[in-house]
């Protein structure tokens, strides 16, 4: 910058002090004293510039001054050499010099003392050539266009800024002149008014003195005193108004205050209300935790009939408030600005910070649709530099729209802090599930019996398996084996196998998918048996059945099993006992449906349709939320869904029938849709480590061994096969001895359709009976085994069966 500035000043000195008597290239001189202020070298430089460019040589120092200012303005920016940009600027300089010299030659005449043309040798040659071809007017138009083009390219000039600056200066000058004229006019009117008042008062005083009988009224002394005081005080003239630089008319502050409040820089809008999370202090411990602390001995000794202590879980870290009202308000203001850039006018109504995300409740302007804000979720995430932004279109009980922005520092939700709350302790259901915390930090506790079934889906690594482990541990910390029993199906042989050996299991953890189909068939049969028992007892659900049995036991009465089949008159039917709630947990039912086929879907649908009153509940989990896995039949019968992070909006719609799961943060962040509502709740799932699961499993192994029911995996399908193990087998010989077996075979051979439902409709029999007939035909070689899609082929020849 210093070098270019010095060169600019040197050229100015050389050009302004040019003298024809000094030595130069265009002429010879023998003077010893050079008149040029830049010396002999400056005289030569000025002579060359004037000879080549004429008067346009004076523009060169001006261009150097512009470059000096540009260097000063960009001094803080990193220097980056660009050959293309340098060439582009050089082209602009060439056009600027050529067109300027030609214009100077065409429109200016040289001075008598100047031996050169006004445009120099370069301008003279180009100007004469253009004037011969285009005449003066055409040449002027062409060279002006080239001059403006070269000036724009070389100096990087913005003509819009030039127009704005010219307009501003014009308006300022106009307002300045207008203000001066207004002040002069007001001063003139004030002077005329005073003179008129004096003229009105003076004649009355002069003529009233000699005429005593005159009826004229005397002058008003108060008015006269005011006028004289104004004349006698010239040091305090009427203050002129300040010249206003605004284009808008001056409005008094009183009238502005009477208007509706407008958000501006001078009058900022009211700060949004910040609602801190409810557990500002440590949560109140539950009664169970207080009892465990008061116990003199370690609670987790091998004592039957007791539940494991919550102290075996990892303790929760102390929550730290990592936000300030200023930072939250700043993000809210930034949110308003970014939405305004997209053409959506909103105001932040309230701010709800939480452990993982912060919800900003905004009030849209009149006429703004919620869909416009929802479609801007990805643009907002990009503008705010966050991973994802979720838009809550409807907040129950409010007219605002929620914008959920993740926090910079995410707090972990420990499973122990969810269990050690009064909400979990007050739940009486044996299948109480502790899910985690909501966006405000409150514990989310729900009841599986009211769901009554749960569908869990999410992509790999989203926290789905940890969420399933948290649900299972919630049941293990709440219920004894007499209250809740589990059937676990684990196709991956990794997730649920660690629960092997706990007393809550009805059967070993199922890893073979054929055994999984048998377990589901047993669940259907147990459901039918329980319905028959409840019908015989005159109750409507499992809770009423257990209550009636307990009342009878407390009264010393014995209720015999009404479904027991006596083989002789001496057999005594067993006494009824309370029935536990059964939870069937399937970790990856997509693999089960791929291997076993369509039959599993029918069994799941049957259990989901009828098993609520019987106390049998399903927890289905999958990491492939596609329509061929989560079919319409399953979704129609399982209204309670839980969506973890997914990759696309299509997967989110497949799980919860609406978008939003694709905008979750992963690591346990989920959308939980309770039964009977279509509005999901965002829950931050509790984290359960593998060590915690192993400690809980070991604690239950010390309290008892599992009592497995062998009928579950052996394929017992009779409707009367009960929980206590009654009923006979369902082998092929018994099925062939069925009175309708021959008729079923005849129908299959004639129709060439080996379908359970077709046989069921043809013979008007139950599903289990038709299924046993088809399996007996498979063992007899009439039909093939089930294919992957659930179909069978008839391999026996047609005609009647002998």
């Amino acid at each position: 910058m210093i070098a270019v500035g010095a060169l600019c000043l040197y050229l100015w000195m050389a050009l302004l002090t040019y003298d024809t008597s000094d030595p130069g290239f265009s002429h010879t001189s023998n003077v010893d004293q050079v008149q040029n202020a830049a010396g002999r070298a400056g005289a030569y430089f000025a002579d060359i510039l004037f000879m080549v460019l004429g008067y346009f040589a004076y523009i060169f120092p001006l261009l150097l001054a512009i470059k000096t200012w540009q260097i000063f303005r960009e001094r803080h920016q990193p220097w980056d050499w660009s050959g293309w940009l340098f060439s582009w600027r050089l082209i602009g300089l060439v056009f600027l010099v050529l067109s300027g010299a030609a214009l100077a030659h065409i429109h200016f005449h040289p001075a008598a003392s100047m031996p050169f043309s006004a445009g120099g040798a370069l301008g003279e040659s180009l100007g004469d050539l253009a004037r011969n071809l285009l005449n003066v007017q055409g040449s002027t138009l062409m060279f002006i266009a080239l001059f403006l083009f070269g000036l724009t390219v070389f100096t990087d000039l913005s003509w819009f800024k030039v127009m704005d600056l010219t307009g501003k200066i014009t308006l300022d000058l106009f307002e300045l002149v207008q203000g001066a004229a207004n002040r002069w006019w007001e001063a003139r009117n004030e002077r005329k008014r005073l003179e008129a008042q004096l003229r009105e008062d003076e004649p009355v005083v002069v003529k009233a003195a000699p005429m005593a009988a005159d009826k004229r009224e005397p002058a008003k002394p108060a008015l006269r005193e005011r006028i004289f005081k104004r004349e006698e005080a010239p040091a305090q003239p009427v203050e002129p108004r300040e010249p206003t630089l605004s284009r808008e008319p001056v409005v008094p502050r009183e009238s502005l205050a009477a208007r509706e409040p407008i958000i501006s820089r001078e009058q900022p809008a009211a700060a949004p209300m910040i609602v801190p999370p409810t557990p500002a202090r440590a949560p109140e411990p539950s009664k169970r935790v207080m009892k465990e602390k008061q116990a003199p001995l370690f609670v987790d000794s091998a004592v039957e009939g007791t539940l494991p202590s919550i102290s075996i879980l990892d303790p929760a870290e102390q929550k730290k408030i990592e936000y300030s009202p200023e930072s939250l308000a700043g993000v809210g203001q930034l949110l308003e600005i970014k939405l305004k850039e997209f053409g959506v006018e909103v105001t932040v109504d309230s701010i709800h910070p939480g452990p993982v995300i912060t919800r900003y409740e905004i009030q849209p302007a009149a006429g703004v649709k919620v869909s416009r804000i929802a479609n801007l979720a990805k643009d907002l995430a990009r503008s705010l530099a966050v991973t994802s932004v979720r838009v809550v279109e409807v907040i129950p009980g409010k007219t605002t729209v929620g914008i959920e922005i993740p926090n910079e520092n995410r707090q972990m939700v420990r499973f122990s802090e969810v269990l050690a709350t009064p909400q979990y302790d007050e739940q009486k259901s044996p299948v109480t599930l502790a899910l985690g915390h909501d966006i405000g930090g409150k514990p989310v506790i729900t009841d599986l019996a009211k769901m009554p079934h749960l569908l869990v889906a999410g992509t790999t690594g989203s926290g789905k398996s940890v969420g399933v482990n948290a649900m299972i541990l919630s049941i293990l910390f709440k219920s004894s084996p007499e209250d809740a029993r589990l059937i676990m199906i684990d196709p991956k042989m990794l997730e649920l196998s660690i629960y092997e050996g706990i007393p809550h299991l009805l059967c070993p953890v199922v890893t073979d998918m054929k055994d999984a189909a048998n377990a589901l068939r047993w669940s259907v049969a147990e459901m039918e048996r329980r319905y028959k028992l409840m019908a015989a007892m005159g109750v409507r659900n499992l809770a009423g059945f257990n209550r009636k049995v307990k009342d009878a036991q407390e009264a010393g009465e014995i209720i015999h099993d009404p479904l027991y089949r006596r083989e002789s008159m001496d057999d005594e039917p067993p006494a009824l006992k309370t029935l536990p709630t059964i939870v069937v947990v399937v970790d990856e039912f997509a693999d089960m449906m791929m291997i076993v086929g369509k039959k599993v879907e029918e069994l799941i649908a049957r259990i989901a349709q009828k098993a609520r009153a019987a106390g049998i509940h399903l927890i289905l989990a999958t990491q492939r939320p596609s329509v061929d896995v989560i079919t319409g039949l399953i979704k129609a019968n399982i209204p309670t869904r839980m969506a973890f992070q997914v990759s696309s909006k299509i997967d989110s719609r497949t799980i919860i029938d609406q978008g939003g799961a694709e905008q979750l943060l992963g690591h346990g962040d989920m959308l939980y849709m309770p039964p009977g509502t279509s509005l999901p709740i965002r829950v931050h799932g509790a984290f359960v480590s593998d060590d915690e699961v192993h400690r809980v499993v070991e604690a239950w192994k010390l309290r008892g061994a599992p009592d497995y029911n062998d009928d579950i995996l052996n394929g017992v399908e009779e409707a009367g096969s009960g929980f206590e193990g009654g009923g006979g087998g369902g082998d092929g010989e018994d099925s062939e001895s069925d009175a309708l077996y021959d008729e079923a075979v005849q129908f299959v051979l004639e129709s060439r359709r080996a379908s359970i439902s077709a046989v069921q409709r043809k013979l008007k029999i139950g599903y289990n009976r038709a299924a046993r007939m088809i399996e007996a035909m498979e063992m007899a070689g009439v039909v093939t085994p089930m294919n992957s899609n659930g179909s069978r082929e008839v391999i026996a020849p047609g005609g009647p069966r002998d």
Side-chain angles (χ1 to χ4, degrees):
M1 184 187 70
I2 294 175
V4 176
L7 180 61
C8 172
L9 295 176
Y10 183 78
L11 289 179
W12 270 113
M13 288 191 302
L15 293 173
L16 292 176
T17 59
Y18 174 74
D19 193 344
T20 55
S21 62
D22 290 338
F25 284 101
S26 62
H27 59 277
T28 58
S29 177
N30 297 324
V31 296
D32 296 331
Q33 186 67 27
V34 179
Q35 301 297 325
N36 199 303
R40 189 175 296 272
Y44 276 94
F45 282 142
D47 185 70
I48 292 173
L49 289 176
F50 280 126
M51 181 180 65
V52 177
L53 301 176
Y55 289 148
F56 194 73
Y58 289 112
I59 301 296
F60 257 97
L62 182 60
L63 297 178
L64 289 175
I66 294 175
K67 281 299 177 184
T68 305
W69 167 249
Q70 289 180 350
I71 293 173
F72 174 76
R73 188 180 60 184
E74 300 174 357
R75 65 189 184 280
H76 296 298
Q77 298 182 5
W79 185 78
D80 187 12
W81 168 260
S82 175
W84 181 89
L85 185 60
F86 177 78
S87 303
W88 182 244
R89 296 280 188 263
L90 186 61
I91 291 173
L93 178 63
V94 171
F95 275 105
L96 180 65
V97 171
L98 295 178
S99 57
L103 286 173
H105 171 71
I106 293 174
H107 292 282
F108 297 100
H109 298 284
S113 60
M114 292 287 292
F116 314 114
S117 169
L122 188 61
E124 183 177 1
S125 59
L126 287 177
D128 292 341
L129 178 63
R131 190 160 48 189
N132 292 333
L133 295 176
L134 303 174
N135 211 340
V136 177
Q137 292 79 5
S139 302
T140 303
L141 180 62
M142 180 184 70
F143 285 126
I144 287 177
L146 293 176
F147 181 83
L148 295 178
F149 170 76
L151 181 65
T152 305
V153 172
F154 179 71
T155 62
D156 196 17
L157 180 64
S158 173
W159 293 102
F160 288 106
K161 292 183 179 179
V162 172
M163 288 188 289
D164 290 341
L165 183 61
T166 305
K168 182 179 183 303
I169 294 174
T170 304
L171 290 174
D172 291 345
L173 289 176
F174 176 75
E175 291 179 356
L176 187 62
V177 173
Q178 187 181 16
N182 290 337
R183 290 195 302 273
W184 174 80
W185 185 260
E186 290 177 0
R188 178 177 175 275
N189 292 338
E190 182 71 15
R191 188 169 57 253
K192 285 185 176 182
R193 187 174 63 83
L194 293 176
E195 291 177 357
Q197 290 180 350
L198 286 175
R199 284 196 301 269
E200 181 182 353
D201 193 24
E202 284 297 334
V204 174
V205 176
V206 173
K207 295 181 181 179
M211 296 175 62
D214 197 346
K215 296 181 179 179
R216 295 182 181 179
E217 296 180 359
K220 299 178 180 178
L223 178 60
R224 185 181 180 88
E225 290 177 3
R226 288 202 304 270
I227 295 172
F228 285 160
K229 283 181 180 179
R230 289 178 182 176
E231 292 180 351
E232 292 173 359
Q236 297 180 356
V238 179
E239 294 184 0
R241 296 184 181 178
E242 293 289 337
T244 58
L245 300 180
S246 176
R247 306 179 197 175
E248 299 180 357
V250 180
V251 182
R253 293 188 177 181
E254 292 78 12
S255 59
L256 285 176
R259 295 182 180 180
E260 294 182 358
I262 301 174
I263 299 176
S264 64
R265 294 181 181 177
E266 297 180 358
Q267 294 182 355
M273 179 179 61
I274 299 177
V275 182
T278 301
R281 54 184 177 85
E284 181 182 355
S286 62
K287 298 179 181 178
R288 177 175 174 179
V289 176
M290 296 298 293
K291 290 180 180 178
E292 292 174 359
K293 289 183 178 181
Q294 296 173 359
L297 298 176
F298 183 61
V299 184
D300 251 343
S301 58
V303 179
E304 293 186 2
T306 61
L307 299 176
S309 170
I310 300 178
S311 59
I312 64 177
L313 298 176
D314 294 337
E317 297 87 357
Q318 185 177 3
K319 301 295 182 182
K320 297 181 180 179
I321 300 177
E322 299 181 351
Y323 64 87
S324 62
E326 292 79 11
S327 62
L328 294 178
V331 176
Q333 186 177 5
L334 180 62
L335 182 62
E336 292 180 0
I337 294 173
K338 294 302 179 182
L339 284 173
K340 189 174 182 180
E341 290 178 357
F342 294 115
V344 180
E345 293 282 348
V346 300
T347 56
V348 177
D349 185 71
S350 60
I351 302 175
H352 301 261
V356 178
I357 64 168
T358 300
R359 174 183 285 182
Y360 295 83
E361 295 186 0
I362 61 175
Q363 185 69 48
V368 176
K369 294 184 178 180
V370 183
S371 58
R372 289 184 59 189
I373 304 177
N375 294 332
L376 295 174
K378 293 184 178 179
D379 296 321
L380 283 177
R382 175 185 56 81
S383 301
L384 299 174
V386 295
T387 55
S388 64
V389 170
R390 177 173 174 260
V391 179
V392 184
E393 299 181 358
V394 179
I395 301 177
K398 297 183 179 180
T399 60
T400 55
V401 179
I403 306 291
E404 295 178 351
I405 301 176
N407 298 335
E408 293 183 1
N409 299 319
R410 178 174 181 173
Q411 297 178 358
M412 181 179 293
V413 180
R414 287 286 182 181
F415 187 57
S416 58
E417 64 180 314
V418 183
L419 293 187
T421 55
Q423 290 86 343
Y424 178 79
D425 191 45
E426 292 169 1
Q427 288 283 343
K428 303 302 180 183
S429 174
V431 285
T432 300
L433 303 182
L435 302 181
H437 284 175
D438 61 4
I439 62 172
K442 299 179 182 178
V444 179
I445 311 295
T446 184
D447 185 6
L448 181 61
K450 295 180 179 179
M451 292 186 182
H453 312 286
L454 178 60
L455 174 63
V456 183
T459 187
T460 304
S462 61
K464 173 180 56 63
S465 298
V466 176
V468 173
N469 285 332
M471 298 176 200
I472 296 174
L473 292 189
S474 300
I475 299 175
L476 296 182
F477 274 106
K478 194 71 174 179
S479 307
S480 62
E482 290 77 19
D483 298 327
R485 302 296 292 271
L486 301 173
I487 297 177
M488 295 186 179
I489 301 174
D490 185 13
K492 294 188 293 186
M493 297 179 287
L494 296 174
E495 300 294 340
L496 302 180
S497 299
I498 56 178
Y499 296 99
E500 190 73 59
I502 62 174
H504 293 77
L505 291 179
L506 277 172
C507 63
V509 178
V510 180
T511 56
D512 189 356
M513 290 305 99
K514 293 183 180 180
D515 294 339
N518 292 335
L520 292 177
R521 292 192 192 98
W522 180 89
S523 301
V524 172
E526 175 65 13
M527 175 186 68
E528 298 291 346
R529 188 188 77 91
R530 290 191 175 192
Y531 269 110
K532 291 180 181 179
L533 274 177
M534 290 186 292
M537 296 291 294
V539 294
R540 301 185 61 182
N541 50 35
L542 183 66
F545 176 84
N546 290 336
R547 191 182 308 112
K548 196 166 186 178
V549 172
K550 287 181 180 178
D551 293 343
Q553 291 176 352
E554 292 175 357
E557 300 177 358
I558 298 177
I559 301 179
H560 296 284
D561 187 359
L563 304 181
Y564 181 74
R565 298 179 181 177
R566 297 185 181 183
E567 296 181 358
S568 64
M569 296 299 296
D570 297 333
D571 291 343
E572 184 71 19
L576 287 179
K577 298 180 180 178
T578 57
L579 298 177
T581 302
I582 300 176
V583 181
V584 181
V585 183
V586 184
D587 182 62
E588 184 56 66
F589 75 97
D591 190 25
M592 184 172 63
M593 292 185 64
M594 289 284 293
I595 297 176
V596 182
K598 206 72 173 177
K599 197 169 189 179
V600 171
E601 181 184 1
E602 298 175 358
L603 293 173
I604 291 175
R606 281 202 73 191
I607 296 174
Q609 286 172 354
K610 293 180 59 178
R612 175 174 185 173
I616 301 177
H617 307 286
L618 293 172
I619 297 179
L620 304 178
T622 180
Q623 64 180 6
R624 205 182 79 186
S626 56
V627 292
D628 58 339
V629 175
I630 306 177
T631 61
L633 185 61
I634 293 177
K635 289 174 63 176
N637 293 285
I638 303 180
T640 306
R641 325 268 176 79
M642 190 176 293
F644 288 82
Q645 184 187 31
V646 294
S647 58
S648 65
K649 186 180 291 186
I650 299 176
D651 294 342
S652 177
R653 292 184 180 276
T654 303
I655 304 170
I656 57 176
D657 298 326
Q658 57 185 291
E662 75 279 0
Q663 298 166 349
L664 298 177
L665 305 178
H667 302 286
D669 196 12
M670 70 178 95
L671 290 179
Y672 165 60
M673 182 179 290
T677 179
S678 61
L679 299 176
I681 301 173
R682 189 167 187 174
V683 180
H684 309 306
F687 175 72
V688 181
S689 64
D690 292 339
D691 293 336
E692 290 178 292
V693 177
H694 284 291
R695 289 198 292 267
V696 176
V697 170
E698 292 300 325
W700 271 114
K701 286 182 179 179
L702 294 176
R703 286 167 168 77
D707 184 13
Y708 293 146
N709 188 343
D710 297 333
D711 294 336
I712 296 177
L713 302 182
N714 291 337
V716 176
E717 297 185 13
E718 296 234 357
S721 62
F723 180 78
E724 303 297 335
D731 54 1
E733 294 181 359
D734 292 337
S735 300
E736 289 188 4
S737 63
D738 196 313
L740 298 178
Y741 178 74
D742 293 336
E743 188 176 350
V745 172
Q746 183 70 19
F747 169 73
V748 169
L749 293 178
E750 291 178 356
S751 62
R752 313 301 293 179
R753 292 174 56 195
S755 172
I756 299 175
S757 58
V759 173
Q760 181 183 358
R761 289 193 302 269
K762 177 65 177 177
L763 304 181
K764 299 179 180 180
I765 58 178
Y767 180 87
N768 291 337
R769 188 176 180 184
R772 287 196 302 272
M773 291 182 180
I774 293 295
E775 290 180 354
M777 295 180 198
E778 177 185 345
M779 296 176 62
V782 179
V783 297
T784 62
M786 185 182 299
N787 298 325
S788 60
N789 59 356
S791 62
R792 301 174 187 265
E793 296 180 2
V794 181
I795 57 178
R801 185 173 183 268
D802 298 332

